[in-house]
Amino acid sequence: MGKSQKKRAMRRHNPVRVPDSHLPKGLASAEESSSKTQAILPIIQKMEGTDAVERKWACVAVSNLIQNDPSTRRLLQGRNIVGALITRLTDSEEEVVIEAMGALRNLCIDGGYDICAEMYNKSILVPLRTFVPKLSATLSQYLAAPKDAPDNAQKLVYEFSDNVITVLWCLSETSNKALTAINEMKLMPFLMSFLAAREKIPLGPVTAAAQCLYVLTDDNYPAIADIRSDASYIACLMSIINPDESIQNSRTTEAADPRTVMLRVLASGILRNVSPIPPPSAASAIDIDKDIVLPQLQPVISSISLVKASTSALQLIEQQAASAPDIEKLSLKNTPKSDHKSQPEVELERLEGRLRTVQLTLEILTGACATLPDPDPHVPPDEDDEGDEDIADAEGDSEAPDIDVEMAVDGAGDTPAQALPPLVAPLLALIQPTTLSFPPLAAASPHPPTTSALSAVHLAALECLNNIFLALARGGAPCDVTEGRTVWDAVWAALGAVGTQTGLGQERRSAMWEVAAGVLWGVASVCRGSLEPNPAQLQALMALCDSATADAHLRVKCIGTLECLAMNRGAVFVDGNARIATYLLSMLPGSADIADVGTEPMLQAAASLIDIYADEGAPYDMNFRSGGFLARLAASIDGVKKAVRAIDRKREGGRELRRRGEEVRDNLVAFVEYRRGLGL
């Protein structure tokens, strides 16, 4: 059962703020789908013109054009807008440089990896390298003598710094090449200076600096070493997490500015990234997960109602429609700022900020939940606060193949049931979709950023649940069956609301099912033999396993869940056991109706059948005897051996899969001999 882990290609808080996967590919398609095609050529021409006012206007126009409009963004990309804006970063007019940087920042945030990769390939780091030392020197000067700062200091230093740092943050997640180049810039003193001066400067650049630090310290040793080596950096991060202003008051704080909560969340995440913290820092004696991450972040995920957020967003969307700027009527004389927004847009961004804060919180908690201590079944939950060993850390084995392990619970009935962690209840609320969570089939959401943020929260909450139940299952003690049933029903309710639509633009729906399958397996494992699914749920799991888009890992999750369900000892579930066993047998070689599910799922099916029928005294063992399962398992042995021999150890994950295959092969041979010896 694989835990959810942070991966460089998937960890960004908003991989694509305004998704465009529902749109056809190609420049011609972009021209057809964009309503602003006629505005593009004048913008490109003015951006490359001799008039500085027109160049500035063109940069501003790009920011306004792409707002929540992926087709126009794609059209601009096809016209080399990225290259044109990077050229403007060396413009002779300072205001043109500022607006070009703002437009590039907005492209990064809205467009995701493709645009960031294009920026890196077109050498955006060259001008950025010159900006960083200049900004650092100017910031130091203004902080030392704020009264001497010119009137436009905020624009020149703080807003420009915000844009530069945000682009660096986004580029850091684009590729290892970009990350290596940014590591060479030695940004830690520059970024930490904003956090250190957070009480004197606006929140925007401070939060951007914290975001960049969080990304750079995520499994990136050069940045981790830089933070660890300076005790003042650790002290600064610890000071952001102020116990006298607990994040439990986040509801009031978020109403003022969600970035204040985001800053504390990011500080918690950075400290977790760089832990363990070496002496002589006082923080070296602190258990970061136990003493900072869990108590600081749990209130954040309890502080928001997604239903209310969705309702508010829909109301604001209606108001926004009446106040959208008309790019055709913008005058050169009265050019709006690139960050000009109506009040509904400001409120929508504030709402999105809250959702992104919750998403980031969940991502950090997911890592912490992967290292929850194994519970001692003999100690009540409120007393089990020390002395346990951590399970394998998520970052520590990030390169290992995601091979799932069986979780035996022999004798579990002799131990007391374990109460679920307090995180579970708020997580169950966060996995339930709202009316804005997923776009209509092959269409765009009425407000893509909100939809993207909501669906990302649902996914992150499911990933956190996955790791919680993995930790519980590894602990060995079953959870309270009533609580387990509550989680089981809540996950199925969420999946029912998600639906099974597939196609362009529906990738998040598929991702929900994939992650939820892991949660279902975890719940079924800790409640092994106690859950009785309805026929529709069994059918859904089998259909998910059989779907053409299912990969080996998803199939293994479905098979593992079915195994746990098949072990229900209730007399009324004997037929359900037979249905599951017949389905699993169809995956084995030698079956007349064999399904080509792949080697790893086939091995999981064989292992599951062995576990299900390991106890010949179980009430459902009658199915094994009357259905001739022994003969069918025996007939599969040669095919299993052949499949195991064919596993290529040189392929990624091949060595571990071969070891797993050999184990299943040997167990299958021994199991057939054992059952034959019983003579039943």
Side-chain angles (χ1 to χ4, degrees), residues 129-147:
R129 286 192 187 97
T130 67
F131 293 154
V132 169
K134 292 178 181 178
L135 287 170
S136 184
T138 308
L139 176 65
S140 299
Q141 177 186 343
Y142 289 173
L143 290 175
K147 293 182 180 179

Side-chain angles (χ1 to χ4, degrees), residues 100-183:
M101 195 70 241
L104 286 163
R105 179 259 188 198
N106 291 345
L107 280 168
C108 275
I109 289 294
D110 265 18
Y113 296 120
D114 289 343
I115 283 184
C116 292
E118 183 182 352
M119 289 182 187
Y120 174 75
N121 291 334
K122 292 182 176 176
S123 302
I124 192 174
L125 287 182
V126 173
L128 295 190
R129 286 192 187 97
T130 67
F131 293 154
V132 169
K134 292 178 181 178
L135 287 170
S136 184
T138 308
L139 176 65
S140 299
Q141 177 186 343
Y142 289 173
L143 290 175
K147 293 182 180 179
D148 298 334
D151 294 337
N152 63 345
Q154 180 122 336
K155 178 78 170 180
L156 291 175
V157 179
Y158 303 136
E159 291 183 21
F160 191 68
S161 295
D162 188 341
N163 292 335
V164 169
I165 293 169
T166 299
V167 171
L168 288 168
W169 147 39
C170 294
L171 289 173
S172 298
E173 297 178 312
T174 302
S175 67
N176 286 330
K177 284 185 178 180
L179 180 64
T180 299
I182 289 172
N183 281 337

Side-chain angles (χ1 to χ4, degrees), residues 289-351:
D289 280 347
K290 178 183 173 183
D291 298 330
I292 292 179
V293 172
L294 291 174
Q296 285 283 327
L297 303 192
Q298 182 178 333
V300 176
I301 67 171
S302 304
S303 68
I304 189 169
S305 164
L306 297 188
V307 173
K308 291 181 179 178
S310 179
T311 301
S312 298
L314 287 169
Q315 294 171 348
L316 290 167
I317 291 166
E318 291 183 2
Q319 298 173 23
Q320 180 192 17
S323 59
D326 186 348
I327 193 69
E328 306 284 354
K329 297 180 180 178
L330 294 180
S331 72
L332 296 179
K333 185 177 180 180
N334 299 307
T335 303
K337 297 179 181 179
S338 58
D339 58 354
H340 170 76
K341 294 178 179 68
S342 65
Q343 189 58 36
E345 289 170 335
V346 171
E347 292 301 319
L348 280 168
E349 288 202 354
R350 188 185 300 274
L351 179 58

Side-chain angles (χ1 to χ4, degrees), residues 168-221:
L168 288 168
W169 147 39
C170 294
L171 289 173
S172 298
E173 297 178 312
T174 302
S175 67
N176 286 330
K177 284 185 178 180
L179 180 64
T180 299
I182 289 172
N183 281 337
E184 293 171 355
M185 294 175 67
K186 299 294 183 183
L187 291 174
M188 295 305 117
F190 173 65
L191 297 173
M192 287 301 306
S193 68
F194 286 90
L195 270 62
R198 64 188 180 278
E199 296 179 1
K200 303 176 183 178
I201 62 178
L203 266 175
V206 176
T207 308
Q211 287 274 17
C212 197
L213 283 165
Y214 174 68
V215 169
L216 288 174
T217 56
D218 186 0
D219 196 25
N220 177 32
Y221 183 75

